[in-house]
Amino acid sequence: MAFVVSSGQLATTGAGVTPMFSAMPIPAAPWEYETIWRTQPQVRTVISFLARNIAQIGIHTFRRVSDTDRERLTDHPLAQLLAEPLPRMTQYRFVERMVSDYALYDDFYGIKLRLNGQLRILPVPPTLIRPAEGNWIAPKYYETAGGRDFAPEEVVHIHGYTPETLTHGTSPIESLRDLLLESIEAAKHRAAMWKGGARLTGVLVRPVEAPEWGAKEKARFREMWRAFTQGGGAEGGTPILEDGMDYKPTGFNPQQAQYIEARKLTREEVSAAYFIPPPLIGILDHATYSNIKEQHSHLYQDTLGPYLAMFAQEIQAQILPDLPDSEDVYCEFNIDAKMRGSFEEQAVAASTATGRPWMTVNETRARNNLPAIDGGDELIVPLNVTEGGLASPRDTAPEPDAAPKARARQALTKAGPEAEPPSPDELREEFAKALGELTDAEVASLLESSPGSAGAVRGWWESGRDARIAKFSKVIGEYTARLGLSAARRVLDEFNPSGEGWAQDVMEPWLLAAALHHAELHDAAGEQAALEAAQEPPEEGGLGAALLLAGGLWAAAALTRSETAATEALSFGGHDAAEASGLGFKVWQTTSTNPRSQHAAIDGEKVPLGGVFSNGLRWPGDSTGDAAETANCRCLLTYSKAE
């Protein structure tokens, strides 16, 4: 193989002398790709997204020992080259340049150098090098802006697809050129509009019966109108239209021109050209609570996966043959580090795959920065895991996510896989009873403390606030999670039986946060009732009787609180499943025999899934509404794919 031999002076390649040297074997388009990258934020956002996300993934070098075994190589020449492609150039910067050039031009060029006896790769901007002569199969050589020619074996050339040749790619920017030109023209129009005071263009109409103006009158009016328009409106004063004149606007106003929508469309089209889902680059119109994990998997499988496979194979095909000891050697991007789940998920999968525990006590202690103990290097095998016995030590263990957020799932299945889960009405009754009993217990605790004054009541309340809110939040969170899951399952059973795109573990944190909010409101209601009772206790019974009465009111408020929280949980759970299932519309349904008038008025109202109803709520029990709209509400939503 031929190389450029250098003792370290990279300028000897001749590249980088003449700017704007077209990388295309055909005449370059008038609006160059690098200019588009500099001036179009949508293009830069998408290309930078690709380059940064791929560059952060390490490239590992391996030797294939057998079909089931491989060896990681850290001192192989390929591993050393990828770690430092050029002196003082990191792997991240090299890969970022490689991906950016390929994404922008559909071509990446690198010149092979021998620096102090070691192979190095010099990335060359595609504007400074291009394939020359030859035929449609391969170029005869590569010419550079400095006049230096390189043989094909001296150049690393990674390119995409072009219908008529195998020697270079065609930039995706070509298919986006008209759209981007339209965007830049729209930006010019906006700039002109603001320069002109952000006023609409228009014409002045003078009635035919108006008296004719002479040159003096025309000049006077012209100067007045010019002072108004050139002064930006405010500086030019107020124009006076004479003789019944009328101003008729022409053109589009900003709302009609849909500037924001046009900019969003441009970003969506650019992201589509590079196969990037819009939510990943900040367009959240179709993002849901439940598809975060799916988007992460989609990014490294369908969006970046083809790029990673292509770059790894090109490195092996164009660089590896020039290195010694390359038999059975290959490289790959370390995508596993990005695709792995949480530690708990990895532990469950590894334990199940191996059929037995896979870490010793001391290995676990080391991960937690604890010293080793005697006997901790032995792998403990539970008695329920023997050869021919259970497949995994987890077969008789509880589910891995035994955290509070999983209680809803366990509660719905505690009677066995064939058991019918509780109905929403049954859960409502359990919820109201549990929250009422806890409220009564807190009232009894207050009475037992024997507060002697309003100040003592306030002190008791403040000192135990965090503990009470934690208790209330636990009870409310358990039932709202169960209610939300019940509603989600009903929607999934009807529209999305496989549950594709929906994740319970993503839905539950929202419900737990809402439970904390309800707990804080319920505690505040009790505090207000107790303090008001303590201000003017009755003569008969004194403060104790007043607090007992306030406690009864607080217990009644617990019923209202449970109804409100239950309705919100049912609404959110179903709404979340509807979003994940791609449904388009929701319908407000009143269910109680005596609904509040404002809810009866919107019974059957249909709106887009992401919209709000005429009462300003997203769903029944929406916490963004006021108490008059949400308290004790038992309305619900139904869903449909289309109108």
Side-chain angles (χ1 to χ4, degrees):
M1 295 293 180
F3 299 96
V4 176
V5 180
S6 171
S7 61
Q9 300 298 320
L10 301 183
T12 58
T13 61
V17 178
T18 304
M20 299 305 294
F21 181 75
S22 173
M24 300 291 294
I26 58 176
W31 196 19
E32 300 295 341
Y33 301 145
E34 55 269 26
T35 303
I36 295 176
W37 182 85
R38 288 191 179 96
T39 59
Q40 286 294 296
Q42 323 299 358
V43 173
R44 181 164 184 166
T45 296
V46 170
I47 292 179
S48 297
F49 176 86
L50 287 173
R52 295 172 63 190
N53 278 279
I54 294 178
Q56 71 165 339
I57 305 174
I59 309 177
H60 293 173
T61 303
F62 300 92
R63 187 188 303 277
R64 186 174 289 102
V65 179
S66 67
D67 290 341
T68 59
D69 190 15
R70 65 178 185 172
E71 175 189 5
R72 170 81 183 276
L73 305 176
T74 58
D75 56 354
H76 188 273
L78 179 60
Q80 296 174 348
L81 171 62
L82 294 176
E84 190 178 32
L86 281 178
R88 303 182 66 182
M89 174 180 280
T90 63
Q91 182 184 103
Y92 182 99
R93 292 302 176 197
F94 176 77
V95 175
E96 181 185 41
R97 162 66 67 171
M98 178 171 62
V99 178
S100 297
D101 284 352
Y102 182 85
L104 183 60
Y105 298 95
D106 214 30
D107 286 284
F108 166 77
Y109 297 93
I111 296 177
K112 300 176 183 178
L113 306 175
R114 282 289 182 182
L115 296 178
N116 301 323
Q118 291 184 320
L119 176 63
R120 292 289 184 260
I121 304 297
L122 170 65
V124 179
T127 54
L128 304 178
I129 186 172
R130 67 181 175 187
E133 299 187 15
N135 52 38
W136 63 271
I137 299 176
K140 183 177 180 180
Y141 59 89
Y142 289 86
E143 61 177 337
T144 65
R148 175 74 181 273
D149 297 337
F150 294 93
E153 60 267 21
E154 295 177 307
V155 177
V156 177
H157 183 196
I158 303 175
H159 62 81
Y161 172 77
T162 293
E164 66 273 9
T165 180
L166 302 180
T167 61
H168 65 84
T170 299
S171 173
I173 301 299
E174 285 300 319
S175 62
L176 297 170
R177 187 181 296 276
D178 290 343
L179 181 67
L180 296 174
L181 285 172
E182 180 183 16
S183 177
I184 198 66
E185 291 301 324
K188 291 179 180 178
H189 181 270
R190 286 195 298 274
M193 182 186 70
W194 288 111
K195 186 177 181 180
R199 290 187 305 276
L200 297 175
T201 58
V203 296
L204 290 169
V205 179
R206 195 164 181 266
V208 294
E209 63 272 12
E212 184 176 354
W213 278 355
K216 184 177 180 181
E217 288 79 4
K218 291 180 180 180
R220 175 183 54 78
F221 184 81
R222 185 184 302 112
E223 289 301 319
M224 182 275 296
W225 190 258
R226 181 180 294 120
F228 170 71
T229 56
Q230 292 183 353
E235 294 85 347
T238 302
I240 299 175
L241 301 182
E242 305 175 12
D243 300 330
M245 297 171 65
D246 186 23
Y247 178 79
K248 294 186 176 181
T250 60
F252 295 103
N253 60 38
Q255 182 177 3
Q256 293 170 332
Q258 294 186 315
Y259 290 134
I260 301 300
E261 289 77 5
R263 291 173 69 89
K264 187 182 296 183
L265 174 63
T266 302
R267 178 174 288 193
E268 289 180 345
E269 291 294 334
V270 174
S271 67
Y274 288 92
F275 310 102
I276 300 176
L280 296 177
I281 55 172
I283 302 177
L284 304 177
D285 294 1
H286 305 293
T288 69
Y289 295 100
S290 302
N291 61 11
I292 298 174
K293 282 188 175 181
E294 295 302 321
Q295 289 177 11
H296 186 268
S297 298
H298 182 91
L299 170 64
Y300 290 99
Q301 291 175 349
D302 301 326
T303 299
L304 302 185
Y307 287 99
L308 302 179
M310 181 266 295
F311 286 127
Q313 292 177 18
E314 292 288 351
I315 291 172
Q316 292 167 208
Q318 299 194 49
I319 298 177
L320 187 59
D322 298 327
L323 299 172
D325 189 26
S326 60
E327 184 177 358
D328 293 325
V329 174
Y330 66 98
C331 67
E332 65 179 28
F333 287 84
N334 187 29
I335 193 173
D336 287 345
K338 292 293 182 181
M339 296 301 295
R340 290 173 182 168
S342 65
F343 175 76
E344 292 81 1
E345 293 169 337
Q346 294 179 54
V348 172
S351 176
T352 302
T354 59
R356 62 187 298 179
W358 55 284
M359 290 183 68
T360 66
V361 172
N362 282 342
E363 287 172 337
T364 303
R365 291 178 64 85
R367 291 178 68 100
N368 291 277
N369 298 317
L370 296 173
I373 61 174
D374 293 338
D377 294 323
E378 297 294 331
L379 190 63
I380 299 174
V381 181
L383 294 177
N384 69 331
V385 180
T386 59
E387 186 174 353
L390 296 175
S392 167
R394 307 200 61 79
D395 284 356
T396 57
E399 290 198 40
D401 46 356
K405 68 177 183 179
R407 290 175 183 156
R409 187 185 311 114
Q410 295 170 355
L412 287 175
T413 58
K414 61 185 179 181
E418 302 300 327
E420 186 71 20
S423 69
D425 287 339
E426 291 175 320
L427 288 175
R428 283 180 183 272
E429 292 177 4
E430 290 182 20
F431 188 7
K433 181 179 179 182
L435 188 58
E437 290 177 349
L438 180 57
T439 302
D440 287 337
E442 292 301 315
V443 173
S445 177
L446 172 61
L447 294 175
E448 289 174 3
S449 67
S450 301
S453 64
V457 172
R458 184 184 300 276
W460 180 90
W461 212 278
E462 291 179 351
S463 64
R465 188 188 312 277
D466 292 342
R468 274 193 314 279
I469 290 178
K471 294 177 185 178
F472 290 137
S473 180
K474 180 180 178 181
V475 170
I476 297 173
E478 177 180 347
Y479 281 97
T480 54
R482 295 172 66 187
L483 287 159
L485 180 59
S486 175
R489 282 182 170 174
R490 287 203 305 273
V491 174
L492 295 173
D493 288 343
E494 181 178 358
F495 298 100
N496 184 12
S498 66
E500 182 179 0
W502 180 82
Q504 177 182 341
D505 290 344
V506 177
M507 176 191 72
E508 287 173 339
W510 191 96
L511 292 172
L512 294 177
L516 176 61
H517 177 66
H518 281 291
E520 292 171 342
L521 293 178
H522 186 54
D523 185 74
E527 179 181 20
Q528 181 179 0
L531 291 178
E532 289 179 354
Q535 292 298 329
E536 297 181 4
E539 295 182 1
E540 184 176 352
L543 181 59
L547 292 178
L548 189 61
L549 176 61
L553 296 175
W554 192 26
L559 175 62
T560 301
R561 177 60 55 192
S562 67
E563 285 287 355
T564 305
T567 298
E568 182 179 33
L570 287 167
S571 298
F572 177 79
H575 200 278
D576 185 64
E579 283 184 321
S581 302
L583 303 183
F585 294 88
K586 56 189 176 185
V587 180
W588 188 290
Q589 301 284 348
T590 58
T591 58
S592 59
T593 57
N594 186 25
R596 47 173 56 91
S597 58
Q598 62 266 41
H599 290 181
I602 64 172
D603 185 26
E605 181 177 334
K606 176 184 284 190
V607 299
L609 190 63
V612 298
F613 293 95
S614 56
N615 62 356
L617 301 184
R618 296 169 294 177
W619 47 65
D622 187 354
S623 59
T624 61
D626 56 32
E629 288 284 352
T630 61
N632 271 330
C633 175
R634 279 208 171 203
C635 298
L636 52 82
L637 296 180
T638 58
Y639 303 92
S640 63
K641 293 183 178 180
E643 288 189 276

